[in-house]
PDB file of all heavy atoms in Angstrom:
ATOM      1  N   THR L  26      16.722 181.737  72.022  1.00  0.00           N
ATOM      2  CA  THR L  26      16.697 180.698  73.057  1.00  0.00           C
ATOM      3  C   THR L  26      15.315 180.605  73.695  1.00  0.00           C
ATOM      4  O   THR L  26      14.789 179.505  73.888  1.00  0.00           O
ATOM      5  CB  THR L  26      17.768 180.979  74.129  1.00  0.00           C
ATOM      6  OG1 THR L  26      19.057 180.930  73.507  1.00  0.00           O
ATOM      7  CG2 THR L  26      17.708 179.970  75.260  1.00  0.00           C
ATOM      8  N   VAL L  27      14.721 181.749  73.993  1.00  0.00           N
ATOM      9  CA  VAL L  27      13.377 181.743  74.583  1.00  0.00           C
ATOM     10  C   VAL L  27      12.391 181.088  73.613  1.00  0.00           C
ATOM     11  O   VAL L  27      11.563 180.262  74.020  1.00  0.00           O
ATOM     12  CB  VAL L  27      12.919 183.166  74.953  1.00  0.00           C
ATOM     13  CG1 VAL L  27      11.438 183.184  75.319  1.00  0.00           C
ATOM     14  CG2 VAL L  27      13.747 183.710  76.099  1.00  0.00           C
ATOM     15  N   LEU L  28      12.482 181.424  72.332  1.00  0.00           N
ATOM     16  CA  LEU L  28      11.576 180.827  71.348  1.00  0.00           C
ATOM     17  C   LEU L  28      11.756 179.310  71.282  1.00  0.00           C
ATOM     18  O   LEU L  28      10.774 178.571  71.174  1.00  0.00           O
ATOM     19  CB  LEU L  28      11.799 181.461  69.973  1.00  0.00           C
ATOM     20  CG  LEU L  28      11.354 182.924  69.869  1.00  0.00           C
ATOM     21  CD1 LEU L  28      11.844 183.542  68.567  1.00  0.00           C
ATOM     22  CD2 LEU L  28       9.842 183.040  69.995  1.00  0.00           C
ATOM     23  N   ARG L  29      12.999 178.835  71.389  1.00  0.00           N
ATOM     24  CA  ARG L  29      13.233 177.376  71.383  1.00  0.00           C
ATOM     25  C   ARG L  29      12.668 176.735  72.647  1.00  0.00           C
ATOM     26  O   ARG L  29      12.101 175.644  72.588  1.00  0.00           O
ATOM     27  CB  ARG L  29      14.725 177.075  71.234  1.00  0.00           C
ATOM     28  CG  ARG L  29      15.239 177.301  69.823  1.00  0.00           C
ATOM     29  CD  ARG L  29      16.617 176.700  69.590  1.00  0.00           C
ATOM     30  NE  ARG L  29      17.628 177.167  70.525  1.00  0.00           N
ATOM     31  CZ  ARG L  29      18.334 178.296  70.392  1.00  0.00           C
ATOM     32  NH1 ARG L  29      18.133 179.076  69.359  1.00  0.00           N
ATOM     33  NH2 ARG L  29      19.236 178.634  71.282  1.00  0.00           N
ATOM     34  N   ILE L  30      12.817 177.396  73.779  1.00  0.00           N
ATOM     35  CA  ILE L  30      12.266 176.863  75.031  1.00  0.00           C
ATOM     36  C   ILE L  30      10.745 176.754  74.933  1.00  0.00           C
ATOM     37  O   ILE L  30      10.152 175.757  75.340  1.00  0.00           O
ATOM     38  CB  ILE L  30      12.678 177.736  76.234  1.00  0.00           C
ATOM     39  CG1 ILE L  30      14.170 177.569  76.513  1.00  0.00           C
ATOM     40  CG2 ILE L  30      11.850 177.404  77.477  1.00  0.00           C
ATOM     41  CD1 ILE L  30      14.746 178.582  77.476  1.00  0.00           C
ATOM     42  N   LEU L  31      10.115 177.771  74.388  1.00  0.00           N
ATOM     43  CA  LEU L  31       8.657 177.753  74.263  1.00  0.00           C
ATOM     44  C   LEU L  31       8.169 176.657  73.333  1.00  0.00           C
ATOM     45  O   LEU L  31       7.010 176.246  73.403  1.00  0.00           O
ATOM     46  CB  LEU L  31       8.147 179.114  73.782  1.00  0.00           C
ATOM     47  CG  LEU L  31       8.324 180.266  74.772  1.00  0.00           C
ATOM     48  CD1 LEU L  31       7.918 181.581  74.131  1.00  0.00           C
ATOM     49  CD2 LEU L  31       7.561 180.011  76.057  1.00  0.00           C
ATOM     50  N   ASP L  32       9.052 176.157  72.484  1.00  0.00           N
ATOM     51  CA  ASP L  32       8.704 175.108  71.529  1.00  0.00           C
ATOM     52  C   ASP L  32       8.934 173.696  72.079  1.00  0.00           C
ATOM     53  O   ASP L  32       8.585 172.712  71.436  1.00  0.00           O
ATOM     54  CB  ASP L  32       9.512 175.308  70.245  1.00  0.00           C
ATOM     55  CG  ASP L  32       8.889 174.629  69.048  1.00  0.00           C
ATOM     56  OD1 ASP L  32       7.646 174.581  68.968  1.00  0.00           O
ATOM     57  OD2 ASP L  32       9.653 174.139  68.189  1.00  0.00           O
ATOM     58  N   ILE L  33       9.499 173.578  73.277  1.00  0.00           N
ATOM     59  CA  ILE L  33       9.745 172.270  73.888  1.00  0.00           C
ATOM     60  C   ILE L  33       8.404 171.624  74.232  1.00  0.00           C
ATOM     61  O   ILE L  33       7.519 172.260  74.810  1.00  0.00           O
ATOM     62  CB  ILE L  33      10.615 172.411  75.153  1.00  0.00           C
ATOM     63  CG1 ILE L  33      12.011 172.906  74.774  1.00  0.00           C
ATOM     64  CG2 ILE L  33      10.684 171.091  75.927  1.00  0.00           C
ATOM     65  CD1 ILE L  33      12.884 173.268  75.964  1.00  0.00           C
ATOM     66  N   ASP L  34       8.252 170.348  73.873  1.00  0.00           N
ATOM     67  CA  ASP L  34       6.983 169.639  74.103  1.00  0.00           C
ATOM     68  C   ASP L  34       6.508 169.721  75.551  1.00  0.00           C
ATOM     69  O   ASP L  34       5.320 169.919  75.802  1.00  0.00           O
ATOM     70  CB  ASP L  34       7.101 168.167  73.699  1.00  0.00           C
ATOM     71  CG  ASP L  34       7.084 167.972  72.191  1.00  0.00           C
ATOM     72  OD1 ASP L  34       6.626 168.891  71.464  1.00  0.00           O
ATOM     73  OD2 ASP L  34       7.532 166.908  71.736  1.00  0.00           O
ATOM     74  N   ALA L  35       7.412 169.571  76.511  1.00  0.00           N
ATOM     75  CA  ALA L  35       7.010 169.574  77.920  1.00  0.00           C
ATOM     76  C   ALA L  35       6.504 170.947  78.376  1.00  0.00           C
ATOM     77  O   ALA L  35       5.742 171.028  79.335  1.00  0.00           O
ATOM     78  CB  ALA L  35       8.176 169.138  78.806  1.00  0.00           C
ATOM     79  N   ILE L  36       6.906 171.998  77.697  1.00  0.00           N
ATOM     80  CA  ILE L  36       6.456 173.343  78.071  1.00  0.00           C
ATOM     81  C   ILE L  36       5.124 173.649  77.414  1.00  0.00           C
ATOM     82  O   ILE L  36       4.238 174.252  78.005  1.00  0.00           O
ATOM     83  CB  ILE L  36       7.514 174.407  77.684  1.00  0.00           C
ATOM     84  CG1 ILE L  36       8.854 174.105  78.361  1.00  0.00           C
ATOM     85  CG2 ILE L  36       7.022 175.812  78.006  1.00  0.00           C
ATOM     86  CD1 ILE L  36       8.809 173.986  79.870  1.00  0.00           C
ATOM     87  N   ARG L  37       4.982 173.234  76.187  1.00  0.00           N
ATOM     88  CA  ARG L  37       3.731 173.357  75.427  1.00  0.00           C
ATOM     89  C   ARG L  37       3.115 174.743  75.440  1.00  0.00           C
ATOM     90  O   ARG L  37       1.944 174.909  75.765  1.00  0.00           O
ATOM     91  CB  ARG L  37       2.709 172.351  75.926  1.00  0.00           C
ATOM     92  CG  ARG L  37       3.080 170.967  75.531  1.00  0.00           C
ATOM     93  CD  ARG L  37       1.850 170.092  75.439  1.00  0.00           C
ATOM     94  NE  ARG L  37       2.311 168.722  75.273  1.00  0.00           N
ATOM     95  CZ  ARG L  37       2.214 167.799  76.199  1.00  0.00           C
ATOM     96  NH1 ARG L  37       1.621 168.061  77.322  1.00  0.00           N
ATOM     97  NH2 ARG L  37       2.676 166.599  75.974  1.00  0.00           N
ATOM     98  N   TYR L  38       3.899 175.751  75.083  1.00  0.00           N
ATOM     99  CA  TYR L  38       3.318 177.087  74.939  1.00  0.00           C
ATOM    100  C   TYR L  38       2.332 177.079  73.776  1.00  0.00           C
ATOM    101  O   TYR L  38       2.599 176.540  72.712  1.00  0.00           O
ATOM    102  CB  TYR L  38       4.404 178.136  74.669  1.00  0.00           C
ATOM    103  CG  TYR L  38       3.815 179.425  74.165  1.00  0.00           C
ATOM    104  CD1 TYR L  38       3.150 180.279  75.033  1.00  0.00           C
ATOM    105  CD2 TYR L  38       3.871 179.760  72.828  1.00  0.00           C
ATOM    106  CE1 TYR L  38       2.561 181.442  74.577  1.00  0.00           C
ATOM    107  CE2 TYR L  38       3.297 180.922  72.354  1.00  0.00           C
ATOM    108  CZ  TYR L  38       2.648 181.761  73.230  1.00  0.00           C
ATOM    109  OH  TYR L  38       2.072 182.898  72.766  1.00  0.00           O
ATOM    110  N   ARG L  39       1.181 177.646  74.013  1.00  0.00           N
ATOM    111  CA  ARG L  39       0.172 177.847  72.963  1.00  0.00           C
ATOM    112  C   ARG L  39      -0.212 179.312  72.982  1.00  0.00           C
ATOM    113  O   ARG L  39      -0.360 179.892  74.061  1.00  0.00           O
ATOM    114  CB  ARG L  39      -1.055 176.973  73.237  1.00  0.00           C
ATOM    115  CG  ARG L  39      -0.776 175.485  73.072  1.00  0.00           C
ATOM    116  CD  ARG L  39      -1.936 174.659  73.639  1.00  0.00           C
ATOM    117  NE  ARG L  39      -2.161 174.907  75.060  1.00  0.00           N
ATOM    118  CZ  ARG L  39      -1.661 174.168  76.048  1.00  0.00           C
ATOM    119  NH1 ARG L  39      -0.942 173.120  75.786  1.00  0.00           N
ATOM    120  NH2 ARG L  39      -1.925 174.457  77.306  1.00  0.00           N
ATOM    121  N   PRO L  40      -0.361 179.935  71.802  1.00  0.00           N
ATOM    122  CA  PRO L  40      -0.761 181.335  71.793  1.00  0.00           C
ATOM    123  C   PRO L  40      -1.997 181.539  72.669  1.00  0.00           C
ATOM    124  O   PRO L  40      -2.933 180.751  72.640  1.00  0.00           O
ATOM    125  CB  PRO L  40      -1.079 181.606  70.313  1.00  0.00           C
ATOM    126  CG  PRO L  40      -0.197 180.624  69.580  1.00  0.00           C
ATOM    127  CD  PRO L  40      -0.191 179.393  70.451  1.00  0.00           C
ATOM    128  N   GLY L  41      -1.930 182.564  73.474  1.00  0.00           N
ATOM    129  CA  GLY L  41      -3.021 182.854  74.395  1.00  0.00           C
ATOM    130  C   GLY L  41      -2.781 182.336  75.797  1.00  0.00           C
ATOM    131  O   GLY L  41      -3.470 182.747  76.726  1.00  0.00           O
ATOM    132  N   ASP L  42      -1.808 181.409  75.967  1.00  0.00           N
ATOM    133  CA  ASP L  42      -1.478 180.959  77.321  1.00  0.00           C
ATOM    134  C   ASP L  42      -0.970 182.154  78.123  1.00  0.00           C
ATOM    135  O   ASP L  42      -0.104 182.892  77.642  1.00  0.00           O
ATOM    136  CB  ASP L  42      -0.363 179.899  77.299  1.00  0.00           C
ATOM    137  CG  ASP L  42      -0.831 178.521  76.900  1.00  0.00           C
ATOM    138  OD1 ASP L  42      -2.049 178.314  76.769  1.00  0.00           O
ATOM    139  OD2 ASP L  42       0.039 177.646  76.718  1.00  0.00           O
ATOM    140  N   PRO L  43      -1.473 182.379  79.329  1.00  0.00           N
ATOM    141  CA  PRO L  43      -0.962 183.488  80.135  1.00  0.00           C
ATOM    142  C   PRO L  43       0.535 183.319  80.387  1.00  0.00           C
ATOM    143  O   PRO L  43       1.015 182.221  80.695  1.00  0.00           O
ATOM    144  CB  PRO L  43      -1.753 183.375  81.442  1.00  0.00           C
ATOM    145  CG  PRO L  43      -2.984 182.601  81.070  1.00  0.00           C
ATOM    146  CD  PRO L  43      -2.560 181.664  79.976  1.00  0.00           C
ATOM    147  N   GLY L  44       1.263 184.399  80.237  1.00  0.00           N
ATOM    148  CA  GLY L  44       2.716 184.359  80.410  1.00  0.00           C
ATOM    149  C   GLY L  44       3.144 183.797  81.752  1.00  0.00           C
ATOM    150  O   GLY L  44       4.098 183.032  81.837  1.00  0.00           O
ATOM    151  N   GLU L  45       2.436 184.166  82.804  1.00  0.00           N
ATOM    152  CA  GLU L  45       2.794 183.677  84.144  1.00  0.00           C
ATOM    153  C   GLU L  45       2.604 182.168  84.265  1.00  0.00           C
ATOM    154  O   GLU L  45       3.347 181.501  84.989  1.00  0.00           O
ATOM    155  CB  GLU L  45       1.990 184.414  85.217  1.00  0.00           C
ATOM    156  CG  GLU L  45       2.326 185.889  85.333  1.00  0.00           C
ATOM    157  CD  GLU L  45       3.757 186.158  85.792  1.00  0.00           C
ATOM    158  OE1 GLU L  45       4.343 185.322  86.499  1.00  0.00           O
ATOM    159  OE2 GLU L  45       4.279 187.227  85.433  1.00  0.00           O
ATOM    160  N   VAL L  46       1.634 181.611  83.556  1.00  0.00           N
ATOM    161  CA  VAL L  46       1.415 180.160  83.572  1.00  0.00           C
ATOM    162  C   VAL L  46       2.569 179.464  82.858  1.00  0.00           C
ATOM    163  O   VAL L  46       3.100 178.455  83.325  1.00  0.00           O
ATOM    164  CB  VAL L  46       0.055 179.796  82.932  1.00  0.00           C
ATOM    165  CG1 VAL L  46      -0.084 178.302  82.741  1.00  0.00           C
ATOM    166  CG2 VAL L  46      -1.080 180.347  83.773  1.00  0.00           C
ATOM    167  N   VAL L  47       2.972 180.005  81.716  1.00  0.00           N
ATOM    168  CA  VAL L  47       4.092 179.429  80.961  1.00  0.00           C
ATOM    169  C   VAL L  47       5.372 179.536  81.790  1.00  0.00           C
ATOM    170  O   VAL L  47       6.147 178.582  81.875  1.00  0.00           O
ATOM    171  CB  VAL L  47       4.249 180.118  79.595  1.00  0.00           C
ATOM    172  CG1 VAL L  47       5.451 179.566  78.847  1.00  0.00           C
ATOM    173  CG2 VAL L  47       2.984 179.962  78.760  1.00  0.00           C
ATOM    174  N   LEU L  48       5.590 180.684  82.402  1.00  0.00           N
ATOM    175  CA  LEU L  48       6.762 180.869  83.255  1.00  0.00           C
ATOM    176  C   LEU L  48       6.766 179.844  84.385  1.00  0.00           C
ATOM    177  O   LEU L  48       7.797 179.234  84.681  1.00  0.00           O
ATOM    178  CB  LEU L  48       6.790 182.288  83.819  1.00  0.00           C
ATOM    179  CG  LEU L  48       7.897 182.594  84.828  1.00  0.00           C
ATOM    180  CD1 LEU L  48       9.272 182.363  84.231  1.00  0.00           C
ATOM    181  CD2 LEU L  48       7.758 184.033  85.328  1.00  0.00           C
ATOM    182  N   SER L  49       5.628 179.609  84.992  1.00  0.00           N
ATOM    183  CA  SER L  49       5.524 178.624  86.064  1.00  0.00           C
ATOM    184  C   SER L  49       5.897 177.224  85.568  1.00  0.00           C
ATOM    185  O   SER L  49       6.606 176.478  86.250  1.00  0.00           O
ATOM    186  CB  SER L  49       4.109 178.631  86.641  1.00  0.00           C
ATOM    187  OG  SER L  49       3.985 177.661  87.642  1.00  0.00           O
ATOM    188  N   ARG L  50       5.422 176.865  84.373  1.00  0.00           N
ATOM    189  CA  ARG L  50       5.787 175.560  83.787  1.00  0.00           C
ATOM    190  C   ARG L  50       7.292 175.445  83.600  1.00  0.00           C
ATOM    191  O   ARG L  50       7.887 174.406  83.886  1.00  0.00           O
ATOM    192  CB  ARG L  50       5.126 175.390  82.417  1.00  0.00           C
ATOM    193  CG  ARG L  50       3.742 174.886  82.445  1.00  0.00           C
ATOM    194  CD  ARG L  50       3.278 174.605  81.009  1.00  0.00           C
ATOM    195  NE  ARG L  50       1.916 175.042  80.886  1.00  0.00           N
ATOM    196  CZ  ARG L  50       1.388 175.666  79.861  1.00  0.00           C
ATOM    197  NH1 ARG L  50       2.103 175.929  78.797  1.00  0.00           N
ATOM    198  NH2 ARG L  50       0.131 176.017  79.870  1.00  0.00           N
ATOM    199  N   ILE L  51       7.899 176.514  83.089  1.00  0.00           N
ATOM    200  CA  ILE L  51       9.344 176.493  82.842  1.00  0.00           C
ATOM    201  C   ILE L  51      10.102 176.371  84.152  1.00  0.00           C
ATOM    202  O   ILE L  51      11.049 175.582  84.266  1.00  0.00           O
ATOM    203  CB  ILE L  51       9.774 177.731  82.037  1.00  0.00           C
ATOM    204  CG1 ILE L  51       9.212 177.633  80.620  1.00  0.00           C
ATOM    205  CG2 ILE L  51      11.295 177.872  82.011  1.00  0.00           C
ATOM    206  CD1 ILE L  51       9.353 178.903  79.794  1.00  0.00           C
ATOM    207  N   LEU L  52       9.695 177.125  85.166  1.00  0.00           N
ATOM    208  CA  LEU L  52      10.361 177.032  86.468  1.00  0.00           C
ATOM    209  C   LEU L  52      10.191 175.638  87.070  1.00  0.00           C
ATOM    210  O   LEU L  52      11.137 175.082  87.648  1.00  0.00           O
ATOM    211  CB  LEU L  52       9.830 178.109  87.415  1.00  0.00           C
ATOM    212  CG  LEU L  52      10.212 179.549  87.049  1.00  0.00           C
ATOM    213  CD1 LEU L  52       9.454 180.536  87.921  1.00  0.00           C
ATOM    214  CD2 LEU L  52      11.715 179.765  87.136  1.00  0.00           C
ATOM    215  N   ASP L  53       9.018 175.039  86.905  1.00  0.00           N
ATOM    216  CA  ASP L  53       8.803 173.668  87.383  1.00  0.00           C
ATOM    217  C   ASP L  53       9.723 172.693  86.650  1.00  0.00           C
ATOM    218  O   ASP L  53      10.292 171.778  87.267  1.00  0.00           O
ATOM    219  CB  ASP L  53       7.351 173.235  87.183  1.00  0.00           C
ATOM    220  CG  ASP L  53       6.382 173.914  88.145  1.00  0.00           C
ATOM    221  OD1 ASP L  53       6.841 174.547  89.124  1.00  0.00           O
ATOM    222  OD2 ASP L  53       5.161 173.820  87.899  1.00  0.00           O
ATOM    223  N   ALA L  54       9.883 172.881  85.334  1.00  0.00           N
ATOM    224  CA  ALA L  54      10.755 172.004  84.550  1.00  0.00           C
ATOM    225  C   ALA L  54      12.210 172.167  84.977  1.00  0.00           C
ATOM    226  O   ALA L  54      12.944 171.180  85.108  1.00  0.00           O
ATOM    227  CB  ALA L  54      10.603 172.304  83.054  1.00  0.00           C
ATOM    228  N   LEU L  55      12.634 173.409  85.228  1.00  0.00           N
ATOM    229  CA  LEU L  55      14.009 173.646  85.680  1.00  0.00           C
ATOM    230  C   LEU L  55      14.246 173.044  87.063  1.00  0.00           C
ATOM    231  O   LEU L  55      15.300 172.457  87.319  1.00  0.00           O
ATOM    232  CB  LEU L  55      14.307 175.153  85.693  1.00  0.00           C
ATOM    233  CG  LEU L  55      14.406 175.824  84.332  1.00  0.00           C
ATOM    234  CD1 LEU L  55      14.468 177.346  84.488  1.00  0.00           C
ATOM    235  CD2 LEU L  55      15.607 175.310  83.556  1.00  0.00           C
ATOM    236  N   GLU L  56      13.268 173.174  87.941  1.00  0.00           N
ATOM    237  CA  GLU L  56      13.395 172.609  89.281  1.00  0.00           C
ATOM    238  C   GLU L  56      13.466 171.081  89.223  1.00  0.00           C
ATOM    239  O   GLU L  56      14.276 170.453  89.912  1.00  0.00           O
ATOM    240  CB  GLU L  56      12.227 173.054  90.150  1.00  0.00           C
ATOM    241  CG  GLU L  56      12.386 172.681  91.616  1.00  0.00           C
ATOM    242  CD  GLU L  56      11.342 173.371  92.463  1.00  0.00           C
ATOM    243  OE1 GLU L  56      10.147 173.022  92.319  1.00  0.00           O
ATOM    244  OE2 GLU L  56      11.721 174.251  93.251  1.00  0.00           O
TER     245      GLU L  56
END
C-alpha cells in the first residue's frame, strides 16, 4: 500500500526525496 501511495502522481515520490517532505505531501493530500 505504501509503495502504491508513493506512486500516485500527486505525491510524486522521487528517489532521494527526503522522507519527511514526502510524508508532508501525503498528509497535505489526506487533509
Side-chain angles (χ1 to χ4, degrees):
T26 297
V27 169
L28 291 170
R29 285 194 304 275
I30 290 168
L31 293 174
D32 201 35
I33 294 172
D34 285 341
I36 302 304
R37 289 206 189 109
Y38 165 75
R39 291 168 300 265
D42 282 352
E45 293 295 332
V46 171
V47 177
L48 175 59
S49 178
R50 276 187 220 139
I51 291 170
L52 291 171
D53 288 348
L55 290 170
E56 189 169 68

